[in-house]
Amino acid sequence: MNLAEGVQIVSFGLLGLMMIGAALGVVLFPSIVHSAFLLAGVFISISGLYILLNASFVAAAQILIYVGAVNVLILFAIMLVNKREDFRPLPNAWVRKGLTAFICLGLLALLGTMILSTPWAISSVAGVGDQAIIVIGEHFFTDYLLPFELASVLLLMALIGAIVLARREYLPPAITTQYEQQQPVFTLPERPRDAALPGTVRSAQSGSEAPITPLRSDR
Amino acid sequence: MQLQYFLFLAAALFCIGIYGLVTSRNAVRVLMSIELLLNAVNINLMAFSSYLDPQDVRGQVFTIFVITIAAAEAAVGLAIVLSIYRNRDTVDMEQFNLLKW
């Protein structure tokens, strides 16, 4: 074993330990905020594993998209639904957890035997290394052009769908009246749910103004 | 370094993800477990691309597609969780019984 191989194995072990430990923390920690931060640790460790596999572009994309976008999105969602509630304990929770742990360990054993018993056709050709980004670009614009364009359409659909799902449809009347007393800053009009809301009635009478309903409304 | 190490690691991450998916009661944690599952699949794809197909790296292309889909899924999933939270005032998975008959 030469030096490079030793360094590879040591860093693989460190990254693997970090990844498995952080993933267990994500699943098992009682506080959801700690889980969210540990999820970033999982993503960063996986990015290190990609660098070990000679894929620097995908490693950078992993950090940018997962740590930068998905994890921040999850943190925002935790902030928005942050209700300190203690879940009502279930009667047979330990049966469920034990059964799930048993099934997961069984699945791990099954996958392990499959990995060991399969004769993998390891290729002996030298890899492309840092030229991988050129090869990926060629793939995107030749033989994977249709999935590439479909992915863009899907991202657009997800964008619109997330906005439609997450925007607030109506406001309770108390908030609306309280908001009316101060002269409202310019906000985007929202569709009112029923015409009985005081904000929409008044603005309908005044005629020229658009129905002003504030967007932010956290109780 | 061998292919099998990476596959073992991905299998372990996948099993942890399934455990979290089934047992966690906070809806946001369920979404995090789904991210763990997708990342386990990504590690598999990258290992295959590096060891079995090093010349034209199709696994990396598929990994980028999976990352794209995962980002879209996270956005829509968190929007759904937010909308459920507004309607039901809880994020407990045990109380989401709207579709139970």
Side-chain angles (χ1 to χ4, degrees):
Chain A
M1 187 197 298
N2 52 11
L3 181 64
E5 208 165 330
V7 169
Q8 268 191 353
I9 286 189
V10 167
S11 46
F12 174 81
L14 278 178
L15 286 170
L17 275 182
M18 265 173 62
M19 192 192 79
I20 294 296
L24 282 175
V26 167
V27 170
L28 297 178
F29 268 18
S31 161
I32 186 97
V33 182
H34 294 170
S35 301
F37 280 110
L38 279 178
L39 194 66
V42 176
F43 292 152
I44 291 174
S45 315
I46 289 174
S47 161
L49 287 176
Y50 290 169
I51 291 177
L52 270 184
L53 286 169
N54 288 324
S56 47
F57 172 66
V58 186
Q62 165 94 7
I63 286 196
L64 277 179
I65 296 175
Y66 271 113
V67 185
V70 173
N71 206 21
V72 171
L73 194 68
I74 285 177
L75 280 172
F76 266 98
I78 290 171
M79 192 181 73
L80 286 174
V81 298
N82 195 6
K83 184 184 176 191
R84 305 230 170 257
E85 60 174 346
D86 293 324
F87 295 138
R88 189 168 41 84
L90 289 176
N92 282 324
W94 64 272
V95 174
R96 186 184 308 196
K97 286 187 179 173
L99 203 62
T100 314
F102 176 72
I103 288 176
C104 286
L105 286 179
L107 182 65
L108 183 61
L110 196 68
L111 287 174
T113 48
M114 184 273 291
I115 289 166
L116 285 185
S117 63
T118 308
W120 301 106
I122 304 278
S123 164
S124 55
V125 189
V128 287
D130 277 344
Q131 303 295 309
I133 182 165
I134 299 171
V135 182
I136 291 172
E138 281 171 1
H139 277 307
F140 271 151
F141 285 97
T142 52
D143 45 352
Y144 291 106
L145 184 62
L146 181 64
F148 185 67
E149 299 296 336
L150 277 182
S152 70
V153 175
L154 182 123
L155 278 178
L156 180 67
M157 277 160 52
L159 186 71
I160 299 172
I163 293 171
V164 168
L165 280 173
R167 79 193 264 261
R168 184 171 280 262
E169 288 271 323
Y170 73 100
L171 288 170
I175 298 175
T176 319
T177 48
Q178 171 219 333
Y179 217 87
E180 267 183 356
Q181 283 156 9
Q182 47 192 342
Q183 190 58 33
V185 289
F186 182 72
T187 47
L188 286 176
E190 279 203 337
R191 179 164 56 91
R193 192 152 97 153
D194 55 2
L197 286 176
T200 57
V201 170
R202 197 195 68 149
S203 52
Q205 283 163 356
S206 63
S208 62
E209 290 176 4
I212 292 169
T213 328
L215 274 177
R216 53 170 296 273
S217 60
D218 301 302
R219 278 171 288 279
Chain B
M1 290 302 287
Q2 282 191 346
L3 173 63
Q4 280 90 343
Y5 299 160
F6 285 96
L7 297 186
F8 263 127
L9 206 61
L13 189 64
F14 192 81
C15 293
I16 293 172
I18 285 192
Y19 180 79
L21 189 69
V22 175
T23 59
S24 62
R25 292 184 65 182
N26 196 326
V28 181
R29 199 183 297 242
V30 171
L31 285 172
M32 292 192 217
S33 304
I34 294 176
E35 297 295 330
L36 288 186
L37 293 181
L38 288 166
N39 271 291
V41 174
N42 275 349
I43 293 178
N44 263 335
L45 285 173
M46 296 292 286
F48 286 140
S49 133
S50 173
Y51 282 94
L52 308 185
D53 185 21
Q55 267 301 308
D56 41 20
V57 281
R58 293 197 185 86
Q60 299 192 15
V61 179
F62 274 90
T63 304
I64 292 172
F65 282 134
V66 172
I67 288 176
T68 313
I69 306 296
E73 174 262 345
V76 175
L78 290 170
I80 290 175
V81 168
L82 209 61
S83 158
I84 290 180
Y85 175 71
R86 282 188 188 139
N87 283 325
R88 306 295 297 254
D89 205 31
T90 180
V91 282
D92 188 2
M93 290 298 284
E94 296 298 321
Q95 296 183 28
F96 296 162
N97 49 10
L98 292 164
L99 292 180
K100 202 190 261 179
W101 74 75

